[in-house]
Amino acid sequence: MLGVIADDVTGASDVALALRASGLRTVLYFGVPDADVAPTDGCEAVVVALKSRMAPPPHAVAESLGALRRLREHGVRQVYFKFCSTFDSTADGNIGPVLDALADALDAPAVLLTPSSPEHGRTQYEGQLFVNGVPLADSPMRHHPVTPMTDSSLPRLLRAQTDRPVELVRWGTVRAGADAVRAAVAEAAARGVRYLLADALDVDDLRTLGHAAADAALTAGAAGLAGGLAHAAPGGALDTYEEKDPLAAWPAAVLSGSCSARTLQQLDVLRAQGRPVYRLDPVAEPDPAALAGRALDWYDALPPGSPAGAPVIHSSVGPGELRAVQGALGAERAAAVLEEATGRIAAGLVARGVRRVVAAGGETSGSVVAALGITGAWIGRAAAPGVPWLRPTSGPGIALLLKSGNFGAPDFLAATSAPPGAQPPGARAPSPEAPPRRPPDAPAPPAPSASRHHAGPPRHTPAPPSPPADAHSAPRADHPPPDTPTRPDRVSPPPPPPPHSPSPPHHQDPPSPAPQSPSPQTRPQGARP
């Protein structure tokens, strides 16, 4: 059995979807399950969702070791530590300290890891992390209001968080196959290397790494490598439980606390549709109970049957406004107030009959499941790559969607919170029925830029081939296709294409930043045909 320890709730949903889509019967627990909770018969993968990404390192380590002990009691033979595909946590780390603790506890000689998740536009090449073809430090993550990422070098990022040796498994070795990767890991382990960051540009690379690590006690990374491990696992079949259509559940509500550029863009789409929108302002009301009460009073005053779709309650603001809030209250207090208020609001909405809850942001999602008493969930269909619908195994009978801040197309929140059977309405002026006491919303984020946002591929970066049909993917309309990075000039080129394979020409500027159709002639130099 494969056990996964995820450092936040939305990341846990992402990796659980990857495992289920790759053929493993998977159950997701929110928090470490109680000692008397045993995995469902026939379960082949268990995912434990923690809220440790933003916690102080000692707390994150203790939580992760607690999850490890419970997983081992449940018969788990292999452990996967799931962290964010943009490698972000806190300034003091959490990825390094947790890896150190898990590796020591499992006596793992060397740990293979990668944040590569091509379906989300994350790829690793020569140790550099790319986001939609742009180096991490040049992506929107550079200006993330909570965890800004200003370095694209994964070895340098990890070495800042651990004193254990860190090396690379380069793409040429990965392309040579699982045996070559296993040999590289064994050779590095013999030299005392603890962590090996593996390059990966596509699903085939991740499957190669999964086969190479099929017998490893500990592996780590984003959802992509977890899917590779699941693909290498023997047996397995998709869950066949009868699933109700989550979009039939109504009424619905959207709760958002993410301040990512993509979530702000998704909220702008909702405003343009005329959705009723309420912003939580912890500066104006720092008491979480009173803040939640005001939001629920606003909800109660809404006219019934809004044709535009579900109402929205959010604390998502741009970087400037977030700094102002944190300056007034302190970052920790502001986060604590909003998390408690959001949990209270979620409980109040469900008590009022809401049966579809869409949450945006990892901390927001954690607050929602905790307040609703949801301890576990079955993994349902994908609403977008990495974002499954969830059917809680405990708590209220609702359809639940927990979205990472950066995930989903611009209309994602609109589509997942529309009335049953309705197409999201087109953009129109804000509804005149919105209560006059609605607080002001955050200003619209700047228009997407090919080099700054996730909306489309950057110039010089073609879209790679789509994953195979059995990869964990959703219809491409739900999310921009992932991008394979162009080769940075400062690194050595990959090995030449195999004999008799046509050499790809140099990249040409596309006429616009819209995604391009995949074509063998537009792949990066040396990419797998």
Side-chain angles (χ1 to χ4, degrees), residues 95-529:
I95 295 176
V98 171
L99 277 173
D100 288 346
L102 294 176
D104 289 345
L106 293 166
D107 196 23
V111 179
L112 193 68
L113 66 152
T114 181
S116 180
S117 191
E119 74 167 352
H120 301 317
R122 278 57 156 170
T123 49
Q124 177 185 326
Y125 181 75
E126 287 291 331
Q128 303 290 307
L129 179 56
F130 292 82
V131 176
N132 286 334
V134 177
L136 175 66
D138 296 326
S139 76
M141 285 300 299
R142 180 178 184 86
H143 302 288
H144 193 283
V146 180
T147 54
M149 302 301 294
T150 58
D151 191 351
S152 305
S153 170
L154 290 167
R156 195 157 50 231
L157 288 168
L158 185 54
R159 286 171 186 146
Q161 300 182 17
T162 178
D163 57 4
R164 315 295 174 86
V166 178
E167 290 188 5
L168 294 178
V169 177
R170 288 185 162 82
W171 187 58
T173 301
V174 176
R175 190 174 67 166
D179 288 342
V181 174
R182 277 192 290 267
V185 172
E187 187 276 333
R191 293 187 287 105
V193 176
R194 171 55 69 86
Y195 302 119
L196 289 155
L197 284 154
D199 288 348
L201 298 181
D202 58 23
V203 172
D204 286 343
D205 291 341
L206 293 169
R207 290 181 174 177
T208 295
L209 295 173
H211 281 273
D215 297 321
L218 176 65
T219 318
L225 181 54
L229 281 173
H231 186 265
L238 295 180
D239 293 327
T240 57
Y241 63 83
E242 183 178 352
E243 183 184 358
K244 296 180 180 179
D245 181 6
L247 295 178
W250 193 257
V254 177
L255 297 172
S256 176
S258 170
C259 295
S260 72
R262 176 45 58 94
T263 296
L264 295 177
Q265 188 180 26
Q266 291 164 342
L267 291 173
D268 275 350
V269 172
L270 294 173
R271 294 187 190 98
Q273 288 186 357
R275 292 290 186 93
V277 178
Y278 186 95
R279 176 186 163 190
L280 299 173
D281 185 351
V283 176
E285 179 48 81
D287 177 68
L291 185 60
R294 290 185 181 183
L296 292 171
D297 288 344
W298 171 85
Y299 177 84
D300 291 338
L302 291 174
S306 170
V312 182
I313 299 175
H314 77 97
S315 58
S316 304
V317 294
E321 289 187 70
L322 180 61
R323 284 192 294 269
V325 170
Q326 293 175 338
L329 297 178
E332 290 187 8
R333 185 185 177 203
V337 168
L338 289 171
E339 287 178 33
E340 182 179 342
T342 300
R344 288 173 176 268
I345 292 165
L349 292 173
V350 170
R352 287 161 168 77
V354 167
R355 287 298 173 261
R356 191 197 321 168
V357 177
V358 178
E363 301 304 310
T364 298
S365 297
S367 300
V368 168
V369 297
L372 296 179
I374 298 172
T375 58
W378 292 110
I379 310 303
R381 69 186 67 173
V387 191
W389 286 101
L390 303 176
R391 189 180 75 179
T393 59
S394 61
I398 61 173
L400 182 63
L401 195 68
L402 307 176
K403 183 193 88 73
S404 176
N406 289 312
F407 283 9
D411 66 347
F412 176 82
L413 291 181
T416 55
S417 62
Q423 294 296 325
R428 58 186 177 85
S431 169
E433 297 178 350
R437 51 197 176 97
R438 164 182 163 184
D441 285 307
S449 165
S451 62
R452 305 287 288 178
H453 294 271
H454 299 287
R459 290 187 295 273
H460 305 286
T461 308
S466 299
D470 61 342
H472 47 280
S473 60
R476 310 311 292 175
D478 289 341
H479 191 75
D483 300 306
T484 303
T486 56
R487 176 174 57 83
D489 293 336
R490 62 179 179 276
V491 299
S492 302
H500 310 298
S501 296
S503 298
H506 294 294
H507 296 194
Q508 301 295 322
D509 285 344
S512 73
Q516 304 296 308
S517 298
S519 167
Q521 285 74 34
T522 59
R523 296 191 185 108
Q525 202 169 31
R528 184 184 290 104

